[in-house]
Amino acid sequence: MQVSDLTNYGFDVASAMELCIDDEEIYKEVLEAFLEEGREKIPLFNELIANNDTDRYIIEVHGLKNAAKQVGATKLSDEAKDSELSGKEGKLDYIKEKNPMLVNLYQETLDVIAQLF
C-alpha cells in the first residue's frame, strides 16, 4: 500500500502532506507515530470512561482531534472534536455512550495506517 492509497479510506492526504511540507517521508514518520501512540490511547480512553475521569478524557480527545487532523483522518478528527465539545458542555452521558463508536473508528483508522508498515 502507498501513502496515496489512504485517500481511498477517507484520508485527506493532500492536507496532511501540506502540514508535512510535502515530504512523504515526514508524513510516514507522523503516521507511524500516530499508529504507535494510538495503540496506547485506545485502552486509555476506555479506562478513563470506566473510571469516570471525564476531565482527562476531554483532554485526551482534544489531543486525538489534533493528531488525527495532522495525519489526514478527518472523520476521526471531527468525531473527537464532537466528543471534546460535548464534554466541555457537560454532556457526560453522551461522551460515555459515544466512546465505543469513537474507539472503533480510531481502531479502524489505525488498522488502515498499519497496512503501510
Side-chain angles (χ1 to χ4, degrees), residues 28-108:
K28 284 182 178 179
E29 289 175 17
V30 171
L31 286 165
E32 193 167 17
F34 183 84
L35 178 62
E36 289 175 19
E37 184 174 299
R39 290 177 175 149
E40 297 171 9
K41 293 293 182 174
I42 287 177
L44 176 63
F45 281 18
N46 290 327
E47 178 184 322
L48 294 172
I49 288 294
N51 293 332
N52 292 311
D53 190 350
T54 51
D55 290 338
R56 171 102 187 266
Y57 185 84
I58 293 165
I59 291 167
E60 293 294 337
V61 294
H62 171 80
L64 174 59
K65 171 191 72 176
N66 294 332
K69 184 172 183 144
Q70 186 175 22
V71 299
T74 308
K75 183 176 180 184
L76 180 58
S77 179
D78 291 345
E79 293 298 334
K81 180 180 180 179
D82 180 54
S83 289
E84 176 190 8
L85 295 176
S86 295
K88 287 180 177 178
E89 293 171 0
K91 299 177 182 175
L92 304 181
D93 288 337
Y94 175 76
I95 62 173
K96 288 177 183 179
E97 289 175 16
K98 184 179 178 181
N99 182 63
M101 186 279 303
L102 180 65
V103 166
N104 187 50
L105 180 59
Y106 197 177
Q107 185 62 58
E108 289 173 1

